[in-house]
Amino acid sequence: MTSPSAHNRRPLRDRLASIGATAGFSLSLGIATVAVPLLAVRSGYSGTEVGILTALSALAQMATRICMGVAMRRLPDWMFIAASTVLLTGSCALLAFSATLVPFVVAQVLQGIARAFFWTGSQTHAVRVSSSSVGALASVNLFSAGGLLGGPALAGFLIESSANLALAVGAGIAAVAILPTLLLARLPPFAPPEDRHPGRIWRRPGVDVGCWAGVTAGAWRGLLSSYIPVALEAARQSPSMIGLLISIANAASIAGVGLVSRARGPWLARAHALGALAAGLGTAAVAPFASLAWMAGVALTVSGLGAGALQTVGPAIAADAVHPQERGDAIAAAGTFRAGALFAAPLAVAGLVLVMPLATAMGAVSLLIAAPAAYTRRLHRHLAHSAAGPDPPPTAG
């Protein structure tokens, strides 16, 4: 097993490998973000069925994330990153071949597992090789957002010919991304500390706030991958314009990551509150203004800024609130909440559109996206307590 000193002798190789894997995975996923819901619509699936199929991916991700803390105590993080690119390749290739129900379901499950493996593995890996959790996660999110920025725009261009072609290209990009994962630093699996605090990790101060921040980021991403493209197409926006608008949202998330990359102390709490409110209000405004491309772009920009801030701040707060050997569990817990919201948001809209217009349904679900702002006061108390010094570990007897 490679020693920590060996990792220090090759930071450039690990950094470049991380960039290559993150960019390739996210570019492929960005293509799928637009191509999958539009392929479903063009294949004859109803609006409710699109939501259910999209939710399957999130359900698979959530179920996988629940097990990730335990899994990372048995297998190194680089293996999960490598496996994620293989699974995403299979998911895109399967849908490029067939959009019938069984292949569609299998492809969505594979994509969900791939997301869980990649985001938990890559975020954990970055935090372990960096002295700053916020800075490390900002780096991962910046490069992933770059791929998610280019992916939808490329998908919109390719879908003009065929959604199947777009997914075939996505499969090829994911396959290439397998190569850099083989060059990542071989960090050992986690070894839980003997003085581990009792109780579920997501209930600990700091970790709980990070988990609820994941709710906002996950719900926003869930709608961006499902009903936002559907709402834009219903408003008669062209595939190219839809791809551009989704790319604008992802570009805004890059800016949101950059804005909080150096946040410390009280600014973490402010970023948490403003991010939740911006993501919720911006998402609520997309469907009512979907026929006006520039207004939809403004709404997506506001929501992207908020979601980008929270997807960085949330896991960082959770990771810094625990023992270094428990960071995998904390990041996995925050990711499970994110995946839960990624599942719940499209499913909630799928149910609501049966009884109300799509714009109203998305507005109602946007309340879920903004709700974690209520945890800001708790975050202020946790940060003040942390600045005063950590609690002593529990003792036996």
Side-chain angles (χ1 to χ4, degrees):
M1 195 172 291
T2 310
S3 67
S5 60
H7 303 321
N8 294 333
R9 288 197 296 268
R10 56 173 187 172
L12 181 59
R13 172 178 167 176
D14 183 73
R15 189 180 306 117
L16 293 177
S18 297
I19 291 172
T22 301
F25 182 91
S26 58
L27 182 61
S28 176
L29 187 60
I31 291 173
T33 296
V34 175
V36 169
L38 295 187
L39 175 65
V41 170
R42 294 182 177 189
S43 299
Y45 294 99
S46 68
T48 297
E49 290 169 337
V50 171
I52 293 173
L53 287 170
T54 304
L56 281 175
S57 176
L59 180 61
Q61 181 180 175
M62 181 172 62
T64 305
R65 293 254 203 182
I66 291 172
C67 305
M68 286 295 292
V70 174
M72 285 192 294
R73 293 197 288 271
R74 291 168 170 76
L75 296 173
D77 47 41
W78 74 268
M79 285 189 176
F80 292 104
I81 302 172
S84 70
T85 57
V86 175
L87 293 171
L88 186 59
T89 300
S91 174
C92 291
L94 191 57
L95 280 179
F97 176 74
S98 174
T100 56
L101 183 59
V102 173
F104 215 121
V105 169
V106 173
Q108 288 296 86
V109 170
L110 290 178
Q111 186 195 103
I113 298 173
R115 287 187 181 205
F117 280 5
F118 184 81
W119 298 122
T120 305
S122 61
Q123 289 177 343
T124 300
H125 185 85
V127 167
R128 296 178 77 186
V129 298
S130 174
S131 60
S132 168
S133 296
V134 174
L137 292 170
S139 178
V140 171
N141 289 332
L142 281 171
F143 287 112
S144 66
L148 293 172
L149 170 63
L154 178 57
F157 173 77
L158 294 172
I159 291 171
E160 296 284 358
S161 298
S162 167
N164 301 83
L165 173 62
L167 287 162
V169 171
I173 293 172
V176 173
I178 296 171
L179 300 177
T181 66
L182 305 178
L183 303 176
L184 291 168
R186 301 299 199 257
L187 301 178
F190 285 103
E194 294 181 1
D195 57 353
R196 182 183 176 98
H197 286 263
R200 297 185 181 276
I201 197 167
W202 65 269
R203 292 181 176 177
R204 294 192 205 172
V207 179
D208 57 354
V209 177
C211 287
W212 287 109
V215 170
T216 293
W220 177 80
R221 180 62 64 184
L223 294 185
L224 193 70
S225 303
S226 57
Y227 281 103
I228 287 177
V230 171
L232 293 171
E233 182 164 76
R236 301 186 183 279
Q237 299 291 350
S238 68
S240 295
M241 180 56 69
I242 293 173
L244 177 61
L245 289 171
I246 300 300
S247 290
I248 287 173
N250 285 314
S253 75
I254 296 176
V257 171
L259 287 173
V260 300
S261 62
R262 297 184 181 277
R264 302 290 186 275
W267 281 104
L268 285 174
R270 293 168 190 153
H272 177 269
L274 293 174
L277 292 173
L281 295 175
T283 302
V286 173
F289 298 107
S291 60
L292 300 173
W294 72 272
M295 285 293 291
V298 170
L300 287 168
T301 297
V302 172
S303 69
L305 284 169
L310 280 187
Q311 73 182 18
T312 300
V313 168
I317 293 171
D320 286 341
V322 299
H323 187 282
Q325 290 297 323
E326 295 180 294
R327 284 178 165 181
D329 293 275
I331 290 175
T336 300
F337 274 69
R338 185 181 189 277
L342 193 69
F343 164 72
L347 194 62
V349 175
L352 291 174
V353 294
L354 297 174
V355 296
M356 64 180 66
L358 178 59
T360 306
M362 288 181 62
V365 174
S366 294
L367 295 176
L368 170 70
I369 297 177
Y375 280 80
T376 302
R377 181 174 296 180
R378 183 179 298 186
L379 177 57
H380 271 296
R381 290 199 300 267
H382 167 70
L383 293 173
H385 179 75
S386 298
D391 288 333
T395 57

